[in-house]
Amino acid sequence: MKVLLVFTFGYSLKTWSDSGTLYKELEIYKVLFKKYNIEFLFLTYGDESDLEIDLSEYGIKVFPIYLYIKKYRSKFLNYLYSFLLPFKLIKEETILSQVNLIKQNQLLGSWVSLLLKKIIKKPLFLRTGYDMYKFSKEEKKNLFVIFLYKMLTKLSFKFSDLYSVSSESDLNFFQKQLRLNGEKLVYRPNFISKKIIKYSKNRYQDRILCVGRLEEQKNFKFIIQEFSNTDFVIDIVGDGSQKSYLSQFAKANNTRINFLGKLNNEDLNSLYQKYNFFVNASFFEGSPKTVLEAMANECLVFVSNIPNHTEIISHLKNGYVFNIESSSLKNLVLDSKNINQNTLKNKASNRIETDYSIEKAIEKEYQDYKNLIS
């Protein structure tokens, strides 16, 4: 079986490599190749630098888009010319011949996969990790942009053969708000590999670990306020436009904070194991992998009371849920020191094995492929 994997618009192997997630992203495809002999063709938004990354052991061939079409400085022009890409690829028989299935990662750029589906007449599996339309509403983007995302979502759903979402909240949003339903809409949760986890008992008791982009969505301002004038230290992994602002805000609130920058996934997993407390205070999320990773690494997890969190974390059962409208987080962290934390940590770790393991995700992925091409 050959699967053409079309990357999210603007993403490449170099993007994955620079973000430190390359080998984590490749893991599922490596297993599918070795276990089921599924070969992948990666259509990336990269250039010749993507060809420098050797993926032969993964059964993957890489076709960087910007070897076939010109890359412009203007993002708008790159969007525009991406519509021509499927017609350029027709001439490249080595790319499209023997393809059994097209898979699209994320909604952005789905027009490339939709056009390819029409040209080569193969089934399309579109996977989303978060809902762009819902995010655009939460971020209060321009009404025209929101409308475009809504139309792209509806068109992609209509013409795909399978459309997966990674959270039950997104599934409900599709069914109730967008009124999109049917057998092609499926729930496929994010997954976590536990093979590298070595539980450590010696963890920081006076430091809080947070992971995420330094943007308003992640609500780091709330965490800084909660731990002002305390002995706790906030350590944040990630980068973003709010770094300078958050640094000044922490200083004004007498909150001790460290910005640890970006880390590759292996180093990040090692870091989780040094911390007892992990906090995610986001205003909205898709299916937050950082929460799943913290649970897998047996941190005590505290999350904001949003639907995409509460479908993963049950208050006082496998973690803590706090109200971002009130000042309850600090007290919950302090109160947690008076309970048997291992019970919650073990239940959180077991939840990962039960519902979010990579082994189950691989089996689902394989069955989806088989069903689509049969």
Side-chain angles (χ1 to χ4, degrees):
M1 185 191 304
K2 280 185 167 58
V3 177
L4 177 66
L5 181 73
V6 183
F7 273 42
T8 310
F9 181 86
Y11 280 71
S12 65
L13 286 178
K14 190 174 185 304
T15 306
W16 283 358
S17 181
D18 290 346
S19 66
T21 63
L22 176 64
Y23 295 104
K24 181 182 77 170
E25 296 285 356
L26 292 173
E27 188 171 9
I28 190 170
Y29 305 112
K30 180 180 180 180
V31 176
L32 285 167
F33 171 62
K34 293 195 170 181
K35 189 173 182 180
Y36 297 111
N37 198 32
I38 299 176
E39 298 177 37
F40 289 90
L41 311 175
F42 278 13
L43 193 61
T44 75
Y45 287 85
D47 51 27
E48 61 274 1
S49 60
D50 272 10
L51 297 176
E52 296 171 4
I53 301 174
D54 184 12
L55 301 182
S56 55
E57 68 169 303
Y58 296 86
I60 295 169
K61 292 182 179 178
V62 182
F63 298 93
I65 281 174
Y66 293 119
L67 291 185
Y68 301 95
I69 61 174
K70 182 179 177 180
K71 185 175 183 180
Y72 295 88
R73 292 184 179 180
S74 165
K75 195 171 184 179
F76 173 75
L77 285 177
N78 287 328
Y79 273 120
L80 189 63
Y81 277 89
S82 67
F83 283 86
L84 299 178
L85 176 64
F87 304 99
K88 293 273 189 180
L89 292 178
I90 294 174
K91 301 173 185 178
E92 301 295 331
E93 193 175 336
T94 55
I95 297 179
L96 299 181
S97 63
Q98 301 180 354
V99 166
N100 303 109
L101 171 68
I102 304 166
K103 187 183 178 190
Q104 168 75 40
N105 264 356
Q106 300 292 5
L107 185 68
L108 192 61
S110 60
W111 52 87
V112 173
S113 294
L114 293 172
L115 288 169
L116 282 171
K117 171 186 164 63
K118 292 296 182 183
I119 292 169
I120 66 174
K121 303 186 187 311
K122 297 296 180 180
L124 170 61
F125 176 8
L126 205 158
R127 180 190 180 277
T128 59
Y130 70 99
D131 188 270
M132 289 187 67
Y133 169 54
K134 187 167 75 171
F135 264 48
S136 67
K137 292 180 69 177
E138 295 282 3
E139 293 170 346
K140 297 180 173 55
K141 288 189 178 292
N142 179 286
L143 290 176
F144 180 66
V145 171
I146 294 174
F147 171 76
L148 286 178
Y149 283 149
K150 184 177 182 178
M151 290 300 100
L152 181 60
T153 301
K154 289 193 169 188
L155 282 171
S156 297
F157 178 78
K158 181 178 180 180
F159 293 107
S160 62
D161 297 278
L162 189 69
Y163 194 112
S164 75
V165 295
S166 61
S167 71
E168 293 173 351
S169 299
D170 285 352
L171 186 67
N172 292 332
F173 182 80
F174 257 74
Q175 293 169 335
K176 295 177 181 179
Q177 300 295 322
L178 290 173
R179 297 183 181 179
L180 299 177
N181 213 329
E183 292 183 359
K184 72 164 67 176
L185 179 62
V186 294
Y187 165 55
R188 298 288 183 262
N190 278 333
F191 53 86
I192 296 297
S193 173
K194 290 196 67 177
K195 67 181 180 181
I196 60 173
I197 291 173
K198 298 176 182 178
Y199 178 65
S200 172
K201 293 182 180 179
N202 300 318
R203 299 181 179 233
Y204 297 128
Q205 299 295 324
D206 58 351
R207 305 178 85 96
I208 306 292
L209 179 63
C210 305
V211 182
R213 295 174 299 108
L214 304 181
E215 305 297 344
E216 187 176 356
Q217 174 205 343
K218 300 299 182 179
N219 200 17
F220 290 121
K221 183 178 175 181
F222 172 86
I223 301 172
I224 291 170
Q225 287 176 314
E226 281 291 286
F227 292 99
S228 65
N229 299 306
T230 69
D231 292 329
F232 283 98
V233 179
I234 312 299
D235 292 332
I236 303 177
V237 175
D239 203 359
S241 64
Q242 284 201 325
K243 182 177 179 179
S244 178
Y245 167 76
L246 291 172
S247 179
Q248 293 300 318
F249 187 77
K251 188 178 295 184
N253 281 269
N254 194 28
T255 303
R256 299 162 68 191
I257 192 168
N258 294 311
F259 297 100
L260 306 182
K262 293 181 179 180
L263 295 178
N264 66 47
N265 193 249
E266 186 175 345
D267 290 340
L268 180 56
N269 271 286
S270 297
L271 188 69
Y272 282 117
Q273 295 167 42
K274 295 180 180 180
Y275 290 79
N276 194 47
F277 303 115
F278 174 86
V279 174
N280 185 315
S282 295
F283 289 116
F284 55 93
E285 282 284 0
S287 178
K289 279 193 174 182
T290 57
V291 171
L292 300 177
E293 288 169 345
M295 292 167 68
N297 281 286
E298 299 196 5
C299 299
L300 194 60
V301 176
F302 297 76
V303 295
S304 53
N305 58 335
I306 59 174
N308 295 65
H309 279 160
T310 55
E311 71 180 60
I312 300 171
I313 296 291
S314 298
H315 188 56
L316 294 179
K317 292 184 178 179
N318 60 353
Y320 285 84
V321 179
F322 58 88
N323 190 339
I324 53 179
E325 301 298 327
S326 64
S327 299
S328 59
L329 173 59
K330 181 180 71 175
N331 290 335
L332 287 177
V333 172
L334 293 173
D335 290 345
S336 72
K337 296 186 176 185
N338 301 320
I339 68 162
N340 184 353
Q341 296 181 355
N342 287 335
T343 300
L344 270 66
K345 291 179 180 180
N346 290 337
K347 287 183 177 179
S349 180
N350 290 339
R351 178 80 197 277
I352 297 299
E353 292 183 358
T354 302
D355 299 324
Y356 300 98
S357 71
I358 189 171
E359 292 79 13
K360 289 192 174 184
I362 288 168
E363 291 306 314
K364 282 283 189 184
E365 187 92 355
Y366 176 60
Q367 288 302 321
D368 286 336
Y369 291 178
K370 279 181 63 179
N371 292 338
L372 284 168
I373 67 173
S374 63

